Amino acid sequence: MEHRIIPILVTVVLILIGHITMRIARSDYIKRKQFTVSFQNNFISLINDFGATHSLNSVFYERCIHDVDKIQEELDGAGVIAEFIDPLSGIRGRNYQLFMNILPELRKLSGMLDNIIVANRCEQLIGLCDDALQRHEGNLDRAIDQISSQLWNPIACLGNGMRWIIWLPGNIFEWAGIISTQKVHAVHQNRIVKFIENVIVIIGLVGSVFTIILGWNDMIDLIVRFLKMG
């Protein structure tokens, strides 16, 4: 039994690490949803007042403009229109950032709503903004539910613990300010990198099971024999 203690302890530690990282991730998703809902409430209040008075409520506008950069970053691709045609000028735009544009547009067009084209444009942009927020909240809810369902799954926790170990060097460079958060996120989202990561995790999971069953020494002997066969 003694030769199995080390792999068992390593596996338990990885499960604990995975459980903790999943809790942290769920907490982060919850905070992001709370921020998104708060922004949406202020935005809806701004739009409702705008529709009733045809002027911008300074309180709600200041709250929205204060967080517009953060909500645009939070929404990421969900808050960007790949292609947009301005009905006033007929100009075709690409990668149109919804909230970065809609708030200044509302201020500029608030006195022109008698023009049906202006009114339709505002209504179109407001609808797109509301849809983007609703979709993003749905995505966050699904992410929270998925993590919650796996929180006490030892296999899922073990896999996440291994992922944390795999990404630890990159995270250290990020924490030290050597690599930007954007670059680390881009690497994490790369399909090839994800595939390699999943292969490593699968090998690690299988290896953990066999090491616990066979013991540390027998597992090393098995690997050595396998390599000699190759």
Side-chain angles (χ1 to χ4, degrees), residues 114-132:
D114 290 337
N115 186 314
I116 189 170
I117 298 178
V118 172
N120 287 339
R121 179 185 182 184
C122 287
E123 184 178 353
Q124 178 189 16
L125 290 175
I126 290 168
L128 290 171
C129 287
D130 187 54
D131 288 346

Side-chain angles (χ1 to χ4, degrees), residues 44-57:
I44 290 174
S45 297
L46 174 68
I47 295 307
N48 288 340
D49 190 80
F50 180 74
T53 65
H54 289 189
S55 62
L56 290 175
N57 182 294

